[in-house]
Amino acid sequence: MYNVFMHWGSVLVPPGCTDDAIHAAGGNPYGAGAFGNGSGPTDAELKAAEYYGSRIAGKAAKLAG
């Protein structure tokens, strides 16, 4: 998918493993996720999702100037 987005001139912000919250939630370097066991996301999964969201928002704010 990266090739398609680069072709369109998109700016890529790969999530990577850049914070301890990601490791606490299982270490998924591709984005936030949770198991669908009916109990909802764990606190660790929510913290990882919050980190990913703040990372993307921070990069968008820098691009917006």
Side-chain angles (χ1 to χ4, degrees):
M1 293 296 299
Y2 276 20
N3 287 339
V4 172
F5 290 117
M6 287 186 289
H7 177 78
W8 291 336
S10 299
V11 175
L12 304 176
V13 181
C17 289
T18 52
D19 191 82
D20 289 337
I22 298 165
H23 297 288
N28 184 353
Y30 304 108
F35 290 103
N37 60 8
S39 64
T42 65
D43 287 339
E45 292 164 342
L46 289 172
K47 286 179 184 174
E50 182 178 332
Y51 170 74
Y52 283 134
S54 67
R55 178 174 163 82
I56 292 168
K59 301 297 181 188
K62 286 182 180 180
L63 285 172

